Amino acid sequence: MRVVLAEDLYLLREGLKQLLSAHGFSVVAAVDNGPDLLRALLDERPDVAVVDVRLPPTQTDEGLQAALAARRELPGLPVLVLSQHVERLYARELLADGTGGVGYLLKDRVFNAEQFVDAVRRVAAGGTAMDPDVIAKLFARSDQKVGRLTPREREVLELMAEGRSNGAIGQRLFLSESAVGKHTASIFGKLGLAASDDDNRRVLAVLAFLDGR
Amino acid sequence: MTRGLGALARGLLRGFYAVASAGLLVVHLVLFVPGLGLGLIFLLPWPIVQLRPVTNLVRRSCGDVPRPYRDRPGPPRPEADGRYRYDRMLYHSPFWPRQVGYLNWVLGDPATWRDVGWMLLNPVVGVVLGAGPAALVIAGLTVAFATGYWIAVGLALIALGVVVAPAALRAHDSWTRRMLGPRDEVGSLKAWLGLRFMTLVRLAALGGLTVVTAGLAVLSAAALALFAVGVVGTIPENAALTRRVTEIRRRLAEQWSGVSIQTPYRPEPPLPPRRPDGLYAVGDNLYKSTGWTRFFQRLEWIWHDPATWRDLLWTVTDPFVGGALVLMSAGAVGYGFLGVALPALLRLTRVDDPPALLVLADRPTLALAAGVVLVVAGALAAPAALRWHGRWTAVLLAPTAKARLSTRVEQLTESRADATSAQAAELRRIERDLHDGAQGRLVAVGLALGAIEALIETDPAAARRLVADARESTARALAELRDLVRGVRPPVLAERGLVEAVRALALDSPVPATVAGGLAGRVPEPVESAVYFAVSEALVNAAKHAAASTVEIAFAHHDGVLTAVVEDDGRGGADPAVGSGLRGMRHRLSAFDGTVRVVSPAGGPTTVTLEVPCALFSPKTSTSSARDSSNS
């Protein structure tokens, strides 16, 4: 699987390169600034891009902007954004086009190589990978509708919002897949959303619901 | 026939109103003249408001004419610091804001001046149109019965009266509606005349205040004389009184003449620190009690403030200079009308013994012309006179360049002290957080790695546990560093600027918050941070204390001032004197000459307005070039 990597810290860039290579990815370009990233994305058209939000030359959200610009050119280009901090604002911008294939994780998540690589694969496959921190912030806002969920349903909703499939959720919570299916149906019912099998649409629905009040 | 008779009766009532309105006019004049002429401007609104029920009665009986008055302003509400704001001035008691607001409400209402116009004209129009038909009928009756010969003429007059009555009544009522009803807009000529009239009224009022100033000059002379014989207490008291009067004149110069005058006084110094021997030093003298120390310090403060002596000089000269300006225009109009034109007119209409203010007493035609010229010239000169009056006030009552500089230096010293102590506190907090948090955790990671090195061969299971612990520690350390960075300068603020950062804040706020308005460029970094944290504080307050259900945040940048308004619909009652958050906000912004205004009446809503003077600059261009290249 071909990866374009953008990270301005040399050590972290090399580390990520090794980590991804070790898991069978081929890093076709590793850049350290926004303009180079955009060029690499448009030239290489990788299977997935792993991008730091803050990049030179402005040291602002150059990486995010380059990724969004590339996705406007190449709709659905899978992008996993890494950051030292997570903002719902950015999560929303990434999800806004509704085509999926996006991820937004804290940089610390690379500590757990398995989970990180799993997230890269999910994004490359057109799924989503939202950081648990983003999800936690979404739930931090007290909401009547979310308040009606049972604790187990909340757990399911959190994992669902991170972008996991029913199977993965079942594994994490030690439930059968059909039990997870029942929970999701009940969650959609309580939140007033039409049920859908599509992983990506489920996250969009959850985010849209939690944002749009 | 019955309609005609009914109209006659109602017409008579209108006639009665006409007589009453003449009475009202007299009452008005009796209170108006001292109110205007002697500068007792606070006498002015009272009779007008008291007499409004009468005009309202007329409105009701003349076909339910709607009332045109503006709503009365509510009582002044204290700001968060307990002072009352009116225009650009803060007062300690609600008295002045209420008085001035009341005055502006009454005199600024066009309906007031229409009421006065109605009182002036109605004695004629009301009598003719209202009581006219009835008078015709009475005349007819008199002719028919008293003389006996002119029955036909009498009957004709009666019939005419009855027939005309409804039309006259209609005409009267429509006239009243026009005079007393609400009106959309004033004609340009009328507006022009109204403006002249207001200018003249203001000038006359200033003339009246000049009399007060003359009185003050006499008082000051007396106070100085007493001081000379050893009664030292008179000087501070007299200066305080003078300051109160000149402060009013400064406000009036700004409101009426458009000349903005800053307060020139030095701030009152704090009590000096007690010396080691327990005494207080003021100048070269030592005092034991705080009372005497404060008194002599106050004396010293007032005596050495140049503004005190400029005030004094002004009280002596204003009766001449200001008085001359008033006489030049308002005086010319008054004398031209009452002194020259009116007596001449009366003489021409053959009234005996007109008042003898007339210079050209023996040549009425020439006098009338001179009077008209005086009135016109005075009215034309009035705006210039008012403007010059303001400038003259500024000559002595505005702070000198030196005073302005020293005030500014004092402000800056204060805000620098605030800023540096806030900065020091912030650094202390960061140092402590790093020491207690991330540093400690990294030491723990190092220890764990050492232990792992030792255990990795002998006890791999324990080593693996330690690895997991070490990873947990680094994650914690990162989370703590993240929080620390967020507290110093939130990343989204650095990346996106103020408005977007606040938008991100609003997304995370437990109370639904919306952000309106945008800024055309980036705010300088330090200001950006200060405003961000202040807004953040206000948002937290709205969620925590106000029990609000929605918050609205608006940004604007006008005339070099950045404004952020945070308004919630909560229960209000926020008091900066109690909460440290609002005070912290004020300290944060004062470093940039910024201000925080909190309006939070009990029962809500709470509005926090932040204002910081600053320039916007265009955002860094490379971000937009990245955006542009995507379109190419």
Side-chain angles (χ1 to χ4, degrees):
Chain A
M1 220 180 264
R2 300 167 69 248
V3 183
V4 164
L5 179 63
E7 165 62 57
D8 58 326
L9 291 177
Y10 173 77
L11 281 177
L12 194 51
R13 185 166 69 241
E14 292 304 307
L16 279 170
K17 225 152 89 177
Q18 276 176 17
L19 182 66
L20 288 168
S21 305
H23 284 82
F25 295 90
S26 78
V27 179
V28 292
V31 300
D32 64 357
N33 65 71
D36 283 359
L37 169 63
L38 186 61
R39 215 167 300 129
L41 288 176
L42 296 179
D43 292 349
E44 300 286 347
R45 306 195 169 208
D47 297 317
V48 62
V50 177
V51 172
D52 183 9
V53 166
R54 197 184 284 195
L55 285 182
T58 54
Q59 290 293 359
T60 62
D61 57 349
E62 192 103 9
L64 181 68
Q65 297 298 349
L68 290 174
R71 272 172 69 88
R72 277 197 292 275
E73 290 284 298
L74 307 167
L77 173 76
V79 176
L80 174 62
V81 172
L82 296 179
S83 175
Q84 291 285 16
H85 64 102
V86 289
E87 279 298 339
R88 283 174 62 189
L89 196 67
Y90 294 172
R92 205 161 64 162
E93 281 171 18
L94 279 164
L95 289 166
D97 63 5
T99 53
V102 288
Y104 182 40
L105 295 182
L106 273 178
K107 279 187 178 171
D108 328 4
R109 302 299 165 205
V110 302
F111 286 2
N112 188 331
E114 295 301 323
Q115 277 183 25
F116 172 66
V117 170
D118 179 44
V120 179
R121 290 223 170 86
R122 253 188 293 144
V123 171
T128 56
M130 281 298 123
D131 197 278
D133 263 26
V134 178
I135 309 301
K137 273 192 180 177
L138 293 180
F139 280 94
R141 280 171 65 151
S142 59
D143 183 84
Q144 287 187 330
K145 283 186 181 170
V146 175
R148 287 212 301 266
L149 301 181
T150 64
R152 183 35 66 102
E153 282 166 355
R154 280 185 68 128
E155 281 175 354
V156 172
L157 180 60
E158 276 176 41
L159 289 170
M160 195 164 77
E162 282 174 28
R164 290 172 202 283
S165 66
N166 281 1
I169 295 172
Q171 269 177 13
R172 281 287 283 277
L173 299 178
F174 307 106
L175 290 170
S176 71
E177 205 173 323
S178 66
V180 175
K182 260 185 233 150
H183 281 308
T184 49
S186 149
I187 292 166
F188 283 135
K190 285 186 182 173
L191 298 186
L193 295 167
S196 155
D197 295 332
D198 187 347
D199 270 353
N200 179 33
R201 291 242 308 273
R202 297 196 312 183
V203 175
L204 286 185
V206 170
L207 281 177
F209 164 71
L210 289 168
D211 268 359
R213 277 176 311 118
Chain B
M1 183 70 190
T2 45
R3 240 182 84 225
L5 286 180
L8 270 183
R10 270 174 277 147
L12 270 176
L13 185 66
R14 309 292 194 264
F16 168 72
Y17 287 148
V19 177
S21 63
L24 286 183
L25 188 68
V26 171
V27 174
H28 257 285
L29 285 178
V30 164
L31 289 161
F32 224 79
V33 169
L36 217 56
L38 297 181
L40 307 173
I41 40 180
F42 301 106
L43 263 184
L44 280 181
W46 185 75
I48 293 177
V49 177
Q50 290 308 307
L51 294 177
R52 277 183 181 179
V54 180
T55 43
N56 280 335
L57 179 72
V58 174
R59 280 189 189 92
R60 241 198 337 275
S61 55
C62 290
D64 275 329
V65 181
R67 291 171 198 191
Y69 305 119
R70 290 177 187 165
D71 288 335
R72 183 172 178 166
R77 285 202 299 218
E79 302 223 328
D81 57 3
R83 288 184 293 180
Y84 297 81
R85 183 178 170 188
Y86 189 84
D87 203 39
R88 281 197 272 159
M89 184 75 191
L90 289 170
Y91 298 86
H92 284 281
S93 102
F95 178 76
W96 279 104
R98 189 165 44 227
Q99 287 302 326
V100 181
Y102 192 53
L103 189 71
N104 278 350
W105 166 60
V106 175
L107 295 189
D109 194 342
T112 296
W113 303 107
R114 292 216 301 279
D115 274 8
V116 173
W118 174 80
M119 281 175 219
L120 210 62
L121 294 177
N122 198 43
V124 180
V125 180
V127 165
V128 170
L129 288 180
L136 279 178
V137 171
I138 292 165
L141 285 174
T142 318
V143 168
F145 290 106
T147 60
Y149 298 108
W150 298 83
I151 290 176
V153 176
L155 284 177
L157 279 176
I158 292 169
L160 184 67
V162 174
V163 169
V164 195
L169 193 68
R170 265 200 308 279
H172 175 274
D173 286 3
S174 87
W175 179 78
T176 308
R177 210 168 297 129
R178 245 203 348 272
M179 284 300 282
L180 291 183
R183 212 171 306 174
D184 297 335
E185 53 190 66
V186 194
S188 60
L189 177 70
K190 252 187 165 161
W192 189 83
L193 283 177
L195 196 71
R196 299 283 135 160
F197 182 67
M198 271 315 281
T199 312
L200 283 170
V201 166
R202 284 168 176 177
L203 263 175
L206 284 176
L209 285 172
T210 302
V211 178
V212 175
T213 313
L216 201 61
V218 173
L219 267 181
S220 301
L224 275 172
L226 281 172
F227 181 77
V229 299
V231 189
V232 287
T234 52
I235 288 290
E237 292 317 311
N238 181 65
L241 179 68
T242 310
R243 283 177 182 196
R244 212 169 295 164
V245 172
T246 53
E247 206 45 36
I248 294 171
R249 296 297 298 269
R250 285 188 192 95
R251 292 309 128 211
L252 287 181
E254 175 160 354
Q255 283 169 17
W256 289 357
S257 311
V259 177
S260 133
I261 306 175
Q262 282 178 319
T263 305
Y265 309 114
R266 289 181 185 165
E268 187 164 0
L271 201 66
R274 212 187 262 265
R275 285 156 42 95
D277 55 8
L279 299 175
Y280 296 98
V282 177
D284 295 336
N285 298 314
L286 295 176
Y287 300 97
K288 206 169 190 175
S289 77
T290 48
W292 280 113
T293 312
R294 202 165 279 138
F295 173 78
F296 281 104
Q297 202 181 22
R298 197 164 134 80
L299 183 62
E300 186 104 333
W301 163 55
I302 280 175
W303 189 268
H304 285 119
D305 191 344
T308 305
W309 305 106
R310 289 162 65 84
D311 272 7
L312 185 65
L313 191 60
W314 177 82
T315 55
V316 176
T317 45
D318 180 61
F320 302 102
V321 182
L325 282 167
V326 171
L327 277 184
M328 218 182 73
S329 53
V333 171
Y335 178 68
F337 182 67
L338 289 174
V340 185
L342 199 61
L345 199 66
L346 291 178
R347 177 151 308 194
L348 282 175
T349 50
R350 298 183 197 292
V351 172
D352 291 334
D353 278 342
L357 282 166
L358 196 56
V359 186
L360 301 160
D362 44 349
R363 304 173 72 176
T365 323
L366 198 60
L368 188 62
V372 169
V373 166
L374 269 179
V375 169
V376 170
L380 285 178
L386 193 61
R387 219 166 33 243
W388 279 100
H389 203 282
R391 283 192 203 167
W392 149 247
T393 312
V395 166
L396 283 173
L397 293 191
T400 56
K402 206 173 135 198
R404 256 205 303 275
L405 276 179
S406 68
T407 320
R408 183 84 189 118
V409 165
E410 245 153 77
Q411 273 174 7
L412 288 177
T413 312
E414 204 172 295
S415 72
R416 189 190 57 183
D418 274 355
T420 46
S421 66
Q423 199 114 55
E426 183 78 357
L427 285 175
R428 263 201 312 280
R429 181 181 70 81
I430 293 170
E431 191 272 337
R432 200 180 49 234
D433 284 0
L434 281 175
H435 183 267
D436 295 351
Q439 263 179 346
R441 295 202 190 280
L442 288 176
V443 170
V445 170
L447 275 174
L449 285 174
I452 291 162
E453 229 169 7
L455 287 173
I456 199 153
E457 301 291 342
T458 54
D459 189 353
R464 199 169 296 131
R465 262 202 316 279
L466 282 175
V467 168
D469 283 355
R471 200 166 64 189
E472 178 74 3
S473 279
T474 52
R476 287 254 182 82
L478 271 173
E480 279 167 14
L481 285 173
R482 204 152 26 232
D483 286 348
L484 199 61
V485 166
R486 208 181 278 279
V488 174
R489 182 160 163 76
V492 67
L493 182 65
E495 287 159 9
R496 288 289 179 86
L498 181 60
V499 178
E500 288 292 288
V502 169
R503 212 159 262 156
L505 204 59
L507 278 178
D508 291 338
S509 157
V511 181
T514 51
V515 180
L519 300 174
R522 283 290 287 262
V523 180
E525 253 180 49
V527 178
E528 199 170 66
S529 284
V531 174
Y532 173 86
F533 283 112
V535 170
S536 164
E537 180 81 45
L539 206 53
V540 169
N541 285 347
K544 218 161 67 182
H545 305 302
S549 63
T550 59
V551 182
E552 276 172 37
I553 306 163
F555 286 100
H557 188 267
H558 286 302
D559 302 328
V561 177
L562 170 73
T563 315
V565 182
V566 183
E567 186 169 11
D568 68 46
D569 62 349
R571 66 165 97 97
D575 183 2
V578 177
S580 64
L582 288 171
R583 233 177 316 145
M585 227 187 264
R586 204 157 276 174
H587 278 309
R588 227 190 255 277
L589 293 187
S590 75
F592 307 100
D593 274 348
T595 55
V596 180
R597 224 169 42 239
V598 181
V599 180
S600 183
T606 300
T607 311
V608 179
T609 308
L610 314 166
E611 283 181 336
V612 186
C614 70
L616 296 184
F617 58 89
S618 55
K620 288 172 185 158
T621 46
S622 45
T623 313
S624 60
S625 76
R627 279 183 187 133
D628 289 343
S629 60
S630 71
N631 301 328
S632 60

